[in-house]
Amino acid sequence: MAFQELLEKAGGQGRLQILQIIFLLTSLGAAHIHSLLENFTAAVPCHHCWVHVLDNDTVSANGTENLNSDVLLRISIPLDSNLRPEKCRHFLHPQWQFFQLNKTFPNMSESDTEPCVDEWVYDRSIFPSTIVNEWHLVCGSQSLKAVSQFIFMIGGLMGSLIFGHLSDRFGWRLVLRWCILQKAVFGTCVAFAPTFLIYCSLCFLTGYLSLGVMICSGLLMSEWTVTKSKALVPTLANCASSTGQIILGSLAFAIQERRTLQLVVSVPFFVFILLSRWLVDSARWLIVNDKPDEGLKELRKAACINGIKNAGEILTMEVLRLTMREDLDAAQTKTSVYDLFRTPNLRKRMCVLCIMRFSASLSFYGLALNLQHLGNNISLFQILFGAVTLPVKCIALLALNRMGRRISQILFMFLSGLFILATIFVAQDAEGGLGSFRNLYCFSHYYWGTALGTILVANRIGGTLAPLMTTLTVYMPLLPWFIYGVSPIFAGFFVFFLPETRDLPLPDTIQDVENK
């Protein structure tokens, strides 16, 4: 609380804080866009095998140039159970008996067909350019699409492990500027990746740096915010992510070429790196890390921007050392993450919160990265989901204050899981899918944003595993959705092991937790 006194002397929540929060929220929202970008750059278009009879030169040589493409497709590609062309198999030889449109199709055996061996033909009317049709990530290679998403999330997991330590060692402003610069460079390079291997490598670095931007932006916002306004920081950060979804959907609707879209969402980071020159570093971090002169300089700079006159007389080295004396003494005691698991009560709560955060992230990213499950109008779904989550965050806050933390947590997790499971029985049409998916998406946001105190690493592990769940469709098409639905319901039972904290002071030390 000592540093808060210095903040009040520097003008409290003044012009500096407002300008800095606007910039950091913009950077955070832009970084979040990259997390969901593969909804569009890796969308799977309709496709079927390419066969020689469909080639223009082959048609002319066979004297079948008078046959239209539908007839040629009918005699070359078998139909699936929905009477649509198979995506991954074709006839060994043209089936001329299918030439008559009204003829009944006999059941064809596997021996009459074979897997695609050359290339595929893609419907480019909806998705003209994606990594799927560029590198043929379909049929036997369809799992590679999930692998690219997994690698991006692995990068985010590594970022959550590393950037907290780096920012504590080198300062949040320096690490943030470095992440923004590298993200601008590597995000732009993704658009020009010549091979899938290079693309995945750059995705790893982009995901890694995205977490650096998110972590450092959140820390700097919280650091320069006075106590009475701190509750707004996570709310504003979540609103920035929702706004990012709306912007992504709008951009993807206007720009359907994947390389151009990648460039459009990456180039703004070059502008951010120029604007970040005027960011004010964490004065508290500078003071605690034996740089009181620099910390005092940042405080005076903030006071000047906030319109405080005689800042040099109000904020002096004597005032700083007297106010921060307890924090400076506490900084001499070195702690580690293991301290969170050494005492029984805190260990139990941390384990429960990790389970909840893991399951929340697993189902949230499982849904957010699979919008194509609803249909092909992904841009519309992305915009609507972003718009819906903005008021949802306010509703979640009201529910927490009225119903209590534990009851609302259990209720929303159970309802979220049930709505996810309900989509298994809903047809994938635009209206039916949208209606049920909108509800489950809202409820997933309820508990995803209210699992307070959870380790960020557990969150990233859940997000990392979410794309891999889609590879289970080869065993059972609906198995991933079953896992996404059961996960929050299972985790909801663990909420009973947490105490109710509504209208109660939160513990400040480990001993406070053990004494309750």
Side-chain angles (χ1 to χ4, degrees):
M1 297 299 293
F3 183 71
Q4 292 297 319
E5 297 179 17
L6 294 177
L7 275 185
E8 293 293 346
K9 294 179 184 295
Q13 202 72 17
R15 187 185 302 118
L16 168 76
Q17 282 80 0
I18 295 173
L19 293 175
Q20 186 147 304
I21 284 177
I22 290 174
F23 172 80
L24 293 172
L25 287 175
T26 304
S27 301
L28 193 149
H32 185 75
I33 286 177
H34 283 258
S35 301
L36 305 177
L37 188 58
E38 284 204 349
N39 273 329
F40 305 95
T41 60
V44 182
C46 295
H47 57 276
H48 58 77
C49 296
W50 177 86
V51 290
H52 294 285
V53 73
L54 294 176
D55 184 75
N56 290 333
D57 295 334
T58 305
V59 168
S60 299
N62 292 336
T64 57
E65 63 272 11
N66 293 327
L67 300 180
N68 61 42
S69 58
D70 291 337
V71 173
L72 292 175
L73 186 64
R74 181 187 296 270
I75 65 176
S76 306
I77 307 295
L79 301 180
D80 60 15
S81 58
N82 296 320
L83 298 181
R84 297 175 180 174
E86 281 276 1
K87 296 180 178 181
C88 300
R89 301 189 70 84
H90 68 91
F91 290 124
L92 287 170
H93 306 286
Q95 303 297 309
W96 297 104
Q97 67 271 26
F98 294 161
F99 176 75
Q100 299 180 18
L101 297 180
N102 296 327
K103 189 177 181 67
T104 302
F105 299 160
N107 293 328
M108 305 301 297
S109 63
E110 289 290 327
S111 60
D112 296 319
T113 63
E114 66 176 357
C116 303
V117 293
D118 293 316
E119 297 182 2
W120 286 261
V121 176
Y122 299 96
D123 180 4
R124 299 179 184 270
S125 61
I126 300 177
F127 305 113
S129 174
T130 69
I131 64 170
V132 173
N133 56 31
E134 182 173 347
W135 292 307
H136 303 306
L137 307 184
V138 293
C139 299
S141 301
Q142 64 180 348
S143 60
L144 293 180
K145 175 182 179 269
V147 168
S148 68
Q149 294 176 331
F150 170 74
I151 290 175
F152 180 93
M153 290 297 181
I154 281 287
L157 174 60
M158 298 302 296
S160 66
L161 290 169
I162 293 174
F163 279 114
H165 173 71
L166 289 179
S167 60
D168 284 338
R169 183 172 182 181
F170 298 106
W172 299 337
R173 178 178 179 271
L174 177 63
V175 174
L176 174 61
R177 295 195 69 200
W178 182 83
C179 288
I180 291 176
L181 176 60
Q182 296 299 311
K183 186 167 177 59
V185 173
F186 290 117
T188 302
C189 290
V190 170
F192 301 102
T195 66
F196 182 69
L197 180 60
I198 295 177
Y199 172 84
C200 289
S201 301
L202 293 171
C203 280
F204 173 85
L205 293 173
T206 304
Y208 172 74
L209 295 165
S210 293
L211 258 292
V213 174
M214 294 178 186
I215 290 173
C216 295
S217 296
L219 289 173
L220 273 178
M221 280 193 293
S222 178
E223 191 69 14
W224 283 100
T225 303
V226 296
T227 301
K228 62 182 180 181
S229 301
K230 277 189 181 295
L232 289 177
V233 172
T235 302
L236 290 175
N238 285 329
C239 289
S241 66
S242 296
T243 304
Q245 293 185 53
I246 298 173
I247 295 174
L248 173 59
S250 302
L251 289 174
F253 178 78
I255 305 170
Q256 297 181 337
E257 208 282 323
R258 72 112 181 154
R259 295 181 187 273
T260 305
L261 180 61
Q262 181 74 44
L263 281 175
V264 168
V265 300
S266 299
V267 168
F269 283 93
F270 286 106
V271 180
F272 295 158
I273 191 60
L274 297 177
L275 297 177
S276 65
R277 292 178 54 194
W278 289 276
L279 279 177
V280 180
D281 204 353
S282 169
R284 189 192 66 82
W285 179 87
L286 292 169
I287 296 169
V288 171
N289 284 273
D290 296 326
K291 298 179 181 179
D293 293 332
E294 295 182 32
L296 183 60
K297 181 181 177 181
E298 296 296 298
L299 283 170
R300 288 175 175 175
K301 180 180 178 181
C304 182
I305 296 175
N306 288 336
I308 302 297
K309 298 180 179 179
N310 302 323
E313 299 177 5
I314 299 175
L315 295 167
T316 63
M317 185 59 66
E318 292 74 16
V319 171
L320 186 148
R321 292 187 183 278
L322 181 63
T323 306
M324 296 290 292
R325 182 174 54 189
E326 293 184 3
D327 286 15
L328 290 171
D329 293 337
Q332 305 303 317
T333 303
K334 301 298 181 182
T335 58
S336 68
V337 69
Y338 301 107
D339 294 325
L340 296 174
F341 298 94
R342 285 177 181 167
T343 55
N345 284 341
L346 185 57
R347 180 170 59 245
K348 178 183 69 175
R349 296 184 189 182
M350 289 305 299
C351 290
V352 170
L353 290 172
C354 283
I355 293 172
M356 292 165 57
R357 191 69 170 188
F358 171 86
S359 65
S361 183
L362 177 68
S363 59
F364 171 77
Y365 280 106
L367 300 172
L369 293 174
N370 288 283
L371 294 184
Q372 197 171 1
H373 178 76
L374 294 177
N376 291 326
N377 200 346
I378 306 177
S379 299
L380 175 62
F381 297 139
Q382 188 73 79
I383 293 172
L384 289 178
F385 297 152
V388 166
T389 55
L390 285 172
V392 162
K393 293 174 175 64
C394 300
I395 296 173
L397 185 61
L398 291 174
L400 289 172
N401 293 330
R402 295 291 181 89
M403 301 170 60
R405 272 58 168 170
R406 189 163 64 172
I407 297 300
S408 60
Q409 187 85 9
I410 295 172
L411 176 63
F412 296 141
M413 293 186 80
F414 278 22
L415 288 177
S416 179
L418 292 174
F419 273 104
I420 294 173
L421 294 175
T423 60
I424 296 177
F425 307 100
V426 176
Q428 296 182 26
D429 61 89
E431 295 182 2
L434 175 60
S436 66
F437 197 87
R438 181 191 302 167
N439 290 331
L440 67 91
Y441 197 85
C442 294
F443 284 117
S444 68
H445 258 81
Y446 278 130
Y447 68 82
W448 190 67
T450 58
L452 301 177
T454 311
I455 296 178
L456 181 61
V457 174
N459 174 72
R460 301 313 303 180
I461 292 175
T464 299
L465 293 179
L468 291 185
M469 295 296 106
T470 58
T471 62
L472 300 177
T473 55
V474 297
Y475 304 104
M476 181 179 173
L478 298 177
L479 183 57
W481 299 98
F482 180 78
I483 295 175
Y484 298 149
V486 170
S487 176
I489 295 176
F490 172 76
F493 289 104
F494 287 89
V495 181
F496 290 104
F497 295 99
L498 293 176
E500 176 57 62
T501 59
R502 183 178 62 165
D503 299 330
L504 296 176
L506 295 178
D508 293 322
T509 65
I510 294 177
Q511 192 59 43
D512 290 341
V513 176
E514 296 304 312
N515 291 338
K516 288 189 176 182

